[in-house]
């Protein structure tokens, strides 16, 4: 099965009034968005799902689960006597770390502009936007403009300012997988790509859900490495106690990071994986985050010392004017 998808990190600022007369502070809605097109035997889109969620890795894993279910038993929405259990699929994806430290996480899945599954609380603005997207034949840019017109029809003039950045691109065609991941680390943002192919002529055919899942492993690993590094340096400089919630969360993150490394290693064992420019090493990212936090702590302490310093006028009396 060929596949092409990208994940967007999005922020919407919704103002009252028109562009030349905005009123007050905006209402802000943020999410990650991933479109999952499922192709039939003719290469046409048979089903199309839009996943929105609070966390990138959870959106991606749900996409992998949807693709897996499609490859296993065909379309998800038109099954006779064997309906796809959306809640079971989602709950099986929530790892212990997320369940314990991100209890407010949310996810919503749309098909043809309508909700087919939701977990947690999401912003209702997204429901309107996805309806507009469907009505405009999945022309997302036009959908945002159309959403403004919909609100105006109900007597409310608004202006929507949209900021969207691609965080992931994944493609599989003719058993050649390619992934591009935006790496937001300590102090810089870069992009790395990797190609996944068979190991020789007799190698395993690329399993699309595993390819998609590997993207989630990298993105979650990058995020966890950063938080672990910050906590490590705070502990070292006694800015944090081991009994503090942040320290306990970092300990859980270390366990989770080991599992993510195992997932990536499994991909490399099954296929020929080539990175460009190079494979991100989580342990190096942890060290970079430690260095960053060390500098932040030093700056903070210097500012506090300067603020508490007592200025003494030691100018001799005869020189004073």
């Amino acid at each position: 099965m060929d596949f092409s998808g990208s994940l967007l990190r999005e922020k919407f600022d919704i103002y009252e009034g028109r562009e030349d007369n905005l009123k007050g502070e905006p209402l802000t809605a943020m999410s990650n968005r991933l479109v999952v097109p499922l192709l039939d035997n003719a290469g046409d889109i048979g089903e199309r799902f839009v996943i929105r969620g609070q966390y990138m890795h959870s959106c991606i894993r749900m996409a992998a689960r949807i693709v897996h279910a499609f490859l296993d038993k065909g379309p998800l929405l038109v099954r006779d006597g064997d309906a796809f259990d959306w809640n079971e699929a989602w709950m099986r994806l929530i790892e212990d770390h997320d369940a314990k430290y991100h209890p407010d996480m949310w996810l919503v899945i749309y098909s043809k502009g309508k909700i087919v599954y939701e977990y947690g609380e999401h912003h209702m603005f997204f429901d309107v936007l996805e309806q507009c997207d469907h009505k405009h034949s999945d022309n997302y840019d036009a959908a945002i403009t159309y959403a403004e017109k919909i609100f105006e029809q109900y007597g409310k003039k608004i202006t929507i300012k949209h900021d969207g950045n691609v965080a992931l691109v994944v493609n599989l065609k003719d058993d050649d997988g390619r992934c591009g991941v935006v790496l937001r680390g300590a102090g810089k943002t870069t992009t790395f790509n990797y190609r996944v192919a068979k190991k020789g002529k007799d190698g395993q055919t690329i399993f699309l859900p595993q390819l998609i899942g590997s993207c989630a492993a990298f993105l979650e690993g990058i995020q966890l490495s950063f938080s672990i590094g910050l906590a490590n340096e705070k502990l070292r400089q006694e800015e944090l106690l081991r009994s503090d919630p942040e320290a306990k969360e970092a300990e859980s993150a270390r366990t989770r990071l080991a599992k993510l490394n195992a997932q990536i290693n499994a991909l490399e064992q099954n296929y020929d994986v080539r990175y460009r420019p190079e494979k991100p090493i989580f342990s190096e990212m942890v060290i970079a985050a430690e260095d960053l936090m060390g500098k932040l702590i030093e700056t903070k302490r210097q500012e506090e010392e300067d603020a508490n310093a007592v200025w003494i006028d030691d100018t001799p009396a005869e020189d004073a004017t």
Side-chain angles (χ1 to χ4, degrees), residues 187-304:
K188 64 178 181 178
T189 298
T190 58
T191 301
F192 79 94
N193 303 278
Y194 59 103
R195 179 184 177 185
V196 181
K198 288 183 178 182
K199 282 188 174 181
K201 293 183 179 180
D202 299 326
Q204 295 183 34
T205 299
I206 296 175
F207 186 49
L208 179 55
Q210 185 179 14
L211 176 67
I212 297 173
S214 70
C215 300
F218 275 115
L219 283 169
E220 185 181 4
I222 292 166
Q223 179 185 12
L224 292 179
S225 297
F226 186 74
S227 61
I228 290 170
L230 298 184
N232 284 352
E233 186 63 18
K234 288 181 181 180
L235 286 166
R236 189 181 73 83
Q237 299 212 29
E238 298 183 346
E239 293 281 327
L240 191 67
L241 299 176
R242 294 197 176 276
S243 58
D244 289 341
E246 184 180 348
K248 293 181 178 180
E249 182 174 352
E251 185 62 33
S252 174
R254 294 185 193 97
T255 300
R256 177 66 186 146
L257 193 60
K259 294 180 180 179
L260 296 175
N261 267 317
Q263 291 179 20
I264 295 168
N265 291 337
L267 183 81
E268 294 171 342
Q269 291 173 3
N270 292 338
Y271 309 108
D272 178 15
V273 183
R274 300 186 181 184
Y275 298 93
R276 190 180 62 181
E278 59 187 9
K279 176 183 176 181
I281 305 300
F282 294 147
S283 60
E284 294 178 359
M285 293 181 179
V286 170
I287 294 173
E290 290 173 346
D291 291 342
L292 175 62
M293 178 51 67
K295 293 176 182 177
L296 292 175
I297 291 175
E298 178 61 28
T299 299
K300 177 185 174 182
R301 289 175 177 172
Q302 186 61 53
E303 290 175 348
E304 290 175 347

Side-chain angles (χ1 to χ4, degrees), residues 313-321:
D313 186 359
D314 58 355
T315 304
E318 60 272 18
D319 294 338
T321 59

Side-chain angles (χ1 to χ4, degrees), residues 10-59:
E10 295 188 300
K11 176 184 177 182
F12 296 90
D13 286 326
I14 307 164
Y15 293 85
E16 287 191 33
R18 287 307 189 194
E19 186 73 36
D20 57 349
N21 187 28
L22 301 181
K23 300 177 182 178
E25 293 296 318
L27 180 66
T28 299
M30 301 174 65
S31 89
N32 300 287
R33 184 179 191 261
L34 176 62
V35 178
V36 184
L38 303 176
L39 306 183
D40 58 23
N41 293 332
D44 299 323
I45 296 178
E47 290 182 326
R48 178 183 183 273
F49 298 99
V50 177
I51 304 173
R52 284 190 180 273
Q54 185 175 4
Y55 297 107
M56 292 186 291
H57 62 268
S58 60
C59 290

